Every structure is written in C-alpha cells, then in structure tokens.
Amino acid sequence: MTQDPPELYPPELLEHGRHPRNVGRLAEPTHSARCTNPLCGDRITLDLVVQDQVVAKVGYEARGCTVAVAAASLLSEAVLGRPVAEAQALAAGLQAAVRGEAETPEALLPLTAAARFPARRRCATLAAEALEKALQR
Amino acid sequence: MGAPELDVAAVRAMFPALGLSVHGRPLAYLDSASTTQKPKVVLDALVRGYETACANVHRGVHALSVAATEGYEGARANVARFLGGSPDEVVFTRGTTEAINLVAESYGRAHVRAGDRVLVSGLEHHSNLVPWFRLCQAVGAHLDVLPIDEAGALELERLDARLTPRTRVVAVSHVSNALGTVAPVAEIAARARAAGAVTVVDGAQAAPHLPLDVRKLGCDFYAFSGHKAYAPTGVGALWGRAELLDAMPPWQGGGEMIASVAFDAITYADPPHRFEAGTPDIFGAMALGAALEWLSGLDRAAVARHEAALLAHAEGLLDALPGVRRVGRAPERAAVLSFVVEGLHPHDVGTILDLEGVAVRTGHHCAEPAMTRLGLEGGTVRASFAPYNTFEEVERMVQGVLRAQEVLTR
C-alpha cells in the first residue's frame, strides 16, 4: 500500500533532502556562520563568497533531519547569484512564513508546511538563520 | 499457574489523557521516560490540596495552615518510605536537576577543592553532568569520566583506576534515560566509598521502574523527579544521608530555612528544611506523595514483567525490520528502547510516528556525550514504556517505522 507522503514532506523537499545542492565548505569564504538547534542537535555551518554585493558562492555543511538539510539546499539555490539584499529578504521571508506571518517565498515553497508543525519550524529556518548571521558579519 | 498478569485495561482507565486522540488517531503514548501521564487519583490529590488545605506551611496557627503542613510533611514521609530513608533525610526540590544542583552547590562547594576530582559516568543525562562540570570549573577540580562500551554498559573494569585519592564525588545514573542501561549502583557506591568518595545517584528513570532502597544501594545522595513517576511536574526530591545533610551549608537563602535571624547572626534550620528556602510546591508535593502511594499500590512485580514483555515485543519486531538498528544492548536494561533507522533522521521518524498518533522522543535525549560516544550524531528514536502501554501500541509504533521508511525513502 502506497500512500501520499505527509504534507511536511512534499516530493521536492524529499528530493533536496536526499540530494542536497551546494554541499561543502568553501575554501575562502568572505562570510561564515554556524547555527545549532540544541533541541535535536541539528547543526549547519554556512559559507558565502560575496562579490560586489552579490552572493557569488555558497556552501555549507549541514547535519540534521530531512527538513533541515532540504531547507539549506533550497536556500542555497535560491540565493546563489542574487544580490545580498535579496538573499537577506529571502531568509527573513522564510522565517516570517514559518512563524505564520507571511507567504512562503516562491523559491522556498516546499518548506511551506513547516509552519504547521511547531516542533519542526526551527528545522526549516536553521539555514536561514545561519545566512542572516553570516551576512551580519 | 504463572504469576498474576497486570490488568492493563484497569490501569489505563485510571489515566484521563490516554483517551486522547492526536492527528485523528488514538494516542499511543510511548514517551513516559520524558514524563509519565498522570493518574486521576494524583490529579485529584493536587486539586484537593488547593480546595481543602490552601495555606502556607510551617507558619500559621490556623487550621488550614496546619492541614497544609500535615499534608506536606505526610508527603515527605511517603517519599521516605518509597526510597527506604527517613523523612528528615528527604528534601523537596523542583526535580532531579535541582536536587543534583543542590548537592553540587552545597556539598560540592564545601568538599571539592582545587586539584580534587569528580567522576561522572559516560551515560549521564546533562542534569548529572553540567552541575559537576560547573563545580569543577569554579573550584579548579578535574572532571573524570567512567566510559561506556559499544553496548552502552559502563566499563566497570575501569572504575578503580578512576577512583583516585583525590576523587570526592562519583555521579551516576541508576537507569540511563537514553539507552535504558541499569547501572550497578550498589557496587559503584561500595567502591566509591572505599576510595573515600560520595556517590550521587540520578534516579529519575529508576524511580518509576525499580524497587528502591537507598540503604541497600549504599549511596550517599539519591535524586528523582515526581513527573517521571506519575506525579505533576515541578516537584521532586533529594534523599541525602543524614550525617552529610547535617554538615552541609544551605544553598539558597530565604524564609523557611532559618532558625533565627538578626542583622548580625543567622542560625539555619536543621535538614531537611535548611534546604527548602521559600514557599515550596506544597500541593505538588502532596500529589507526589499520592503518586508514590498509587505506584506502590500496584503489583510492582507484575508491572515489571509487563514492561519487560513490552520491551521484548518491541525488540523482536524491530529486529525483524531491515535497516533498523537497536542502540543500547547492555545486559540489564529498564523500559527504554532506543533505535536508529538507516538513512533516516530520528526527527523525521518521530514526525511520521506522531502523525500516526504514536508519541516517542527523538534526538540526543539530553545525553549528548553518550550519543557522541556511540557515533549517533543525530541521536536516536526512543520508545519508553509504562504499565499503561499495550502490545498493540508497540505494533503501531513498528508500523509507523515502516511507514516512515516508505514515505521518506521513496
């Protein structure tokens, strides 16, 4: 018997969870940050190379559940090649969406359902937090 | 004829929360090691305290205050009976964590000096690790670790080497919350004593499962939480050997813990009140007393057999699933079952189980060093059992694991 996956795990999220993009630390990042979720031990270290106010390179090491890894992967794809201000807006937009205060940004739609799983919200936002923290430096 | 079986249906009927549905399915609560559900008789005791004896303790001359004091001190006697100690050796605390912090702050600050050593086991919950880490850091002492093996058992053959002449405290869990390992506390305490160290036992997981007798265990301090033993959250107890408590300084100051106070001199109360500054959780303590009475009133041997049968059933079913690996295979284990599913993160498995109505704990279970030692960076899925659990609930959990494999690895 095959049933549909629960809404938290749409196919695109599962696919990113299994085959995350842009994995790996960067050799010479201009910005880096590490965020952890002590509740479950999820951990992400995110590197960026910013050139002329554009995210030229992105890489990360993520240890965590499917949602946390997929979120890092989706976010990395969404910010690559975008202006820093847009990347920050995406990260903020995802966090607002998961808090239920905004629509999920188009590029991050597979994370929409996380808002309805309070125990999993932080999994969906950990990469966004790391991105914000990195760019503050 | 075998020994009488536990009447699980009758036990379940005592717990209002077990009738709940979650996500449209009947609740299968397999997370009692986090906190147990509460029987009606305990909830009634809590409400009855507030309705019939709501006054402060040890203060008033009026009838309600007398009733509150009698109820509170009666609960202390219940705890003492449950642990095999005497009432003046029982200090009410917020729970295990506060009890261990009390020992670290009071006994530890008085007896552990620069260059001394504190020994903790590699299984410890953060509650029996962080207070000792902080103490060692504050006074310049060393923290030693009694390691665990691959099965999650303590490597007892290394104990004597770690009991140095400077070891002042040995801190060990009676039952591991993460793996279910039962530690040979009596043996550890005897060897610690011979080496001149006191033994502090985290009994949070043992209290609901094992018959306890602190004198037979030979330990010096024993801490447990009410909420893991069918009582409300926010109340627990520390048992301490009388001669140790007598010599210990207070750790918090305020009302209730003094004999006399002037601006130039304060005399502290005798134990246990010396360690209970401020108004305590009076009615929580009464409910704790009721919970321990309720638990002691069950056929404890039948409960233990039932919990062991649930564990064996779960182990048998999980062992038959490809890709599932049980973690924690120490020879003696209590009603805790930890496992990992190949290729799946415990958090994701926990969410799928939750959607099926099955409540389990996932993650590192506040025992990060033990998880790291076993190479489990994402932690485990943990099911834990109580007398109200059924074989059908165990089967639902196993079905849920299958479902998680199906939807997450498609």
Side-chain angles (χ1 to χ4, degrees):
Chain A
M1 180 179 67
T2 301
Q3 295 169 297
D4 290 335
E7 62 170 346
L8 182 62
Y9 299 102
E12 197 181 350
L13 182 138
L14 287 173
E15 204 273 321
H16 272 266
R18 265 196 294 279
H19 307 290
R21 326 293 200 263
N22 303 310
V23 168
R25 301 291 308 271
L26 299 182
E28 289 178 352
T30 56
H31 300 71
S32 285
R34 174 165 155 159
C35 280
T36 59
N37 179 2
L39 274 182
C40 54
D42 285 359
R43 180 180 296 168
I44 180 165
T45 310
L46 183 117
D47 296 326
L48 300 169
V49 172
V50 173
Q51 283 171 343
D52 304 327
Q53 286 303 302
V54 168
V55 177
K57 288 182 187 173
V58 56
Y60 57 89
E61 257 176 26
R63 166 185 119 171
C65 62
T66 299
V67 177
V69 172
S73 175
L74 285 158
L75 188 67
S76 74
E77 280 200 323
V79 301
L80 189 59
R82 312 301 304 172
V84 165
E86 269 184 43
Q88 285 171 317
L90 265 175
L94 175 64
Q95 292 177 81
V98 168
R99 285 195 303 268
E101 295 164 2
E103 295 293 313
T104 310
E106 179 87 23
L108 305 172
L109 278 178
L111 298 168
T112 305
R116 289 190 288 280
F117 289 79
R120 305 303 298 276
R121 286 176 189 160
R122 191 86 200 283
C123 309
T125 58
L126 201 62
E129 287 173 39
L131 185 86
E132 282 189 337
K133 197 169 149 189
L135 288 172
Q136 275 166 10
R137 292 178 176 178
Chain B
M1 287 251 301
E5 277 187 25
L6 186 70
D7 185 348
V8 178
V11 172
R12 288 183 69 82
M14 300 173 188
F15 286 80
L18 295 180
L20 291 174
S21 291
V22 292
H23 305 299
R25 325 244 165 157
L27 169 67
Y29 189 77
L30 300 179
D31 195 21
S32 294
S34 289
T35 196
T36 58
Q37 295 301 323
K38 318 305 175 197
K40 182 79 163 53
V41 63
V42 168
L43 302 173
D44 288 347
L46 185 65
V47 172
R48 193 168 56 247
Y50 281 110
E51 285 181 347
T52 65
C54 187
N56 217 322
V57 288
H58 304 134
R59 285 176 176 78
V61 293
H62 59 79
L64 282 192
S65 177
V66 171
T69 303
E70 283 176 354
Y72 182 65
E73 293 302 327
R76 195 189 306 277
N78 281 354
V79 173
R81 260 197 306 282
F82 184 76
L83 294 174
S86 75
D88 56 8
E89 295 176 313
V90 171
V91 179
F92 281 118
T93 65
R94 281 194 297 132
T96 306
T97 298
E98 189 177 70
I100 293 169
N101 276 278
L102 190 169
V103 180
E105 288 294 315
S106 173
Y107 183 89
R109 293 268 180 170
H111 293 88
V112 180
R113 308 197 186 287
D116 284 345
R117 312 187 81 90
V118 172
L119 178 62
V120 300
S121 99
L123 276 176
E124 292 318 296
H125 187 284
H126 299 164
S127 63
N128 203 20
L129 170 58
V130 178
W132 302 115
F133 181 94
R134 294 186 41 175
L135 172 69
C136 288
Q137 213 169 39
V139 305
H142 302 281
L143 191 73
D144 293 319
V145 180
L146 177 64
I148 56 171
D149 61 20
E150 284 295 321
L154 296 175
E155 294 188 353
L156 274 193
E157 65 277 12
R158 296 176 190 262
L159 176 59
D160 287 336
R162 279 169 173 72
L163 287 170
T164 73
R166 299 296 300 268
T167 305
R168 301 284 174 250
V169 175
V170 175
V172 64
S173 288
H174 199 170
V175 171
S176 153
N177 73 305
L179 305 176
T181 307
V182 180
V185 167
E187 186 184 342
I188 292 169
R191 284 155 75 173
R193 175 171 303 253
V198 299
T199 302
V200 183
V201 183
D202 170 351
Q205 296 297 335
H209 299 298
L210 305 180
L212 298 178
D213 185 334
V214 287
R215 306 239 183 260
K216 275 191 193 154
L217 286 174
C219 58
D220 298 283
F221 297 97
Y222 198 99
F224 79 102
S225 297
H227 75 95
K228 294 186 197 291
Y230 308 99
T233 56
V235 67
L238 170 72
W239 172 86
R241 201 176 281 287
E243 62 269 29
L244 297 179
L245 290 180
D246 276 340
M248 279 161 54
W251 79 304
Q252 290 177 337
E256 194 92 6
M257 49 76 75
I258 45 79
S260 70
V261 176
F263 285 117
D264 56 356
I266 295 176
T267 310
Y268 299 115
D270 287 336
H273 300 107
R274 185 187 300 161
F275 306 104
E276 293 180 0
T279 297
D281 184 0
I282 302 164
F283 308 103
M286 288 189 207
L288 171 57
L292 299 181
E293 233 171 52
W294 172 82
L295 181 58
S296 303
L298 297 178
D299 179 344
R300 295 292 301 274
V303 169
R305 282 194 301 276
H306 179 63
E307 289 175 346
L310 291 168
L311 186 63
H313 190 51
E315 288 175 352
L317 293 174
L318 286 179
D319 284 348
L321 293 189
V324 175
R325 179 167 64 88
R326 285 194 288 116
V327 180
R329 291 165 179 267
E332 214 187 325
R333 277 171 296 125
V336 169
L337 173 62
S338 248
F339 62 93
V340 291
V341 185
E342 198 181 306
L344 302 188
H345 193 280
H347 235 86
D348 294 314
V349 178
T351 290
I352 303 286
L353 286 172
D354 177 51
L355 293 170
E356 301 288 322
V358 180
V360 295
R361 173 91 188 261
T362 62
H364 55 50
H365 316 299
C366 299
E368 216 173 328
M371 294 290 113
T372 304
R373 160 69 183 84
L374 297 173
L376 301 163
E377 61 173 26
T380 68
V381 181
R382 182 191 72 185
S384 50
F385 306 114
Y388 44 66
N389 289 126
T390 67
F391 293 94
E392 190 238 334
E393 288 175 324
V394 167
E395 286 151 20
R396 284 178 56 202
M397 177 191 74
V398 174
Q399 285 302 314
V401 173
L402 277 170
R403 167 107 176 106
Q405 287 180 314
E406 182 197 304
V407 302
L408 295 172
T409 60
R410 67 171 68 200

